[in-house]
Amino acid sequence: DQQVKQNSPSLSVQEGRISILNCDYTNSMFDYFLWYKKYPAEGPTFLISISSIKDKNEDGRFTVFLNKSAKHLSLHIVPSQPGDSAVYFCAAKLGGADGLTFGKGTHLIIQP
Amino acid sequence: EPEVTQTPSHQVTQMGQEVILRCVPISNHLYFYWYRQILGQKVEFLVSFYNNEISEKSEIFDDQFSVERPDGSNFTLKIRSTKLEDSAMYFCASLGQGESYEQYFGPGTRLTVT
């Protein structure tokens, strides 16, 4: 039962270019979406989030876009830097302070 | 910057033994969570805890699992009789009160059941 899907297990991007990570979801009741970054042997680190009533949220180099009709969100990182190399998880929640449903993650590799 | 801490970082135990994983959430947070990640798989929600009781739990969180907030700072996950398939990274997370819903995660405890 994959309610949150990240269909690209890995993505390789040149330093300085834009990284676009994609996420699809099936449950239209999700009301809040989050992106986490994870390095090996560490816990997920919160990056950026978006409420279902918005279609865009921006924080520095990171922008999240939400397309509710397509049940799709994306994370844009521009410009990509070597330190961005990590696994990125998309997560969603249903309401209140509910537990998060995670995707399987996308391993982003930034090449010099 | 305040952070969630977890101990131990690595726990090895024999099948059938009880383990307790410990977490210290961020001090002014009110909601607490446990997640696990089996090697190569996604992070899975186990349980959430608020106002000294379980507020939500997943299908994974069966009678072998329990959670407790024994004092004002610690939040624990107990597995009564460990199985081989309990081997995973266990992450604690906490959430403050307010409009944002960003849960903050600890570094995890790697549980190895032999």
Side-chain angles (χ1 to χ4, degrees):
Chain A
D1 178 11
Q2 277 196 76
Q3 295 192 69
V4 177
K5 302 176 194 177
Q6 293 177 259
N7 291 321
S8 300
S10 67
L11 175 68
S12 184
V13 174
Q14 259 194 320
E15 183 180 355
R17 307 291 274 266
I18 184 171
S19 296
I20 300 176
L21 297 105
N22 293 304
C23 177
D24 297 295
Y25 61 95
T26 55
N27 192 336
S28 57
M29 300 300 291
F30 285 138
D31 69 348
Y32 204 79
F33 303 90
L34 307 93
W35 284 94
Y36 284 85
K37 175 180 178 180
K38 188 180 181 302
Y39 295 116
E42 293 186 13
T45 301
F46 169 74
L47 263 181
I48 191 168
S49 61
I50 188 166
S51 164
S52 60
I53 63 172
K54 296 186 176 181
D55 56 17
K56 178 182 174 181
N57 188 26
E58 192 171 355
D59 184 3
R61 296 187 297 116
F62 303 92
T63 304
V64 56
F65 295 93
L66 175 62
N67 182 336
K68 281 187 69 177
S69 60
K71 295 193 181 69
H72 177 83
L73 61 155
S74 60
L75 173 68
H76 293 211
I77 306 173
V78 57
S80 300
Q81 298 174 354
D84 295 331
S85 294
V87 178
Y88 288 78
F89 291 97
C90 172
K93 73 166 194 71
L94 282 170
D98 280 11
L100 301 176
T101 301
F102 281 83
K104 288 188 173 181
T106 297
H107 185 193
L108 177 65
I109 302 160
I110 305 301
Q111 295 184 333
Chain B
E1 187 174 319
E3 58 182 17
V4 176
T5 59
Q6 290 184 243
T7 54
S9 56
H10 190 190
Q11 173 89 50
V12 182
T13 189
Q14 286 192 323
M15 198 167 52
Q17 295 296 304
E18 174 184 286
V19 292
I20 297 176
L21 309 183
R22 301 179 194 280
C23 168
V24 178
I26 294 173
S27 63
N28 61 347
H29 282 188
L30 300 177
Y31 300 89
F32 314 114
Y33 306 83
W34 284 102
Y35 294 83
R36 78 172 186 192
Q37 185 181 27
I38 295 171
L39 187 64
Q41 298 188 23
K42 62 180 179 178
V43 177
E44 300 173 290
F45 167 72
L46 293 178
V47 65
S48 60
F49 193 84
Y50 171 72
N51 201 26
N52 282 319
E53 60 183 29
I54 291 173
S55 50
E56 185 192 10
K57 59 183 181 179
S58 71
E59 292 175 352
I60 303 167
F61 194 87
D62 61 22
D63 292 344
Q64 293 295 325
F65 293 91
S66 62
V67 290
E68 195 177 36
R69 188 155 163 82
D71 53 43
S73 59
N74 289 284
F75 179 51
T76 62
L77 174 69
K78 182 193 289 186
I79 309 175
R80 269 181 261 282
S81 176
T82 50
K83 304 188 281 279
L84 293 175
E85 53 265 37
D86 292 328
S87 295
M89 282 291 289
Y90 287 81
F91 296 106
C92 173
S94 69
L95 170 69
Q97 210 162 27
E99 292 183 359
S100 69
Y101 296 98
E102 295 93 24
Q103 295 179 21
Y104 290 86
F105 284 75
T109 293
R110 178 171 298 284
L111 177 64
T112 303
V113 182
T114 61

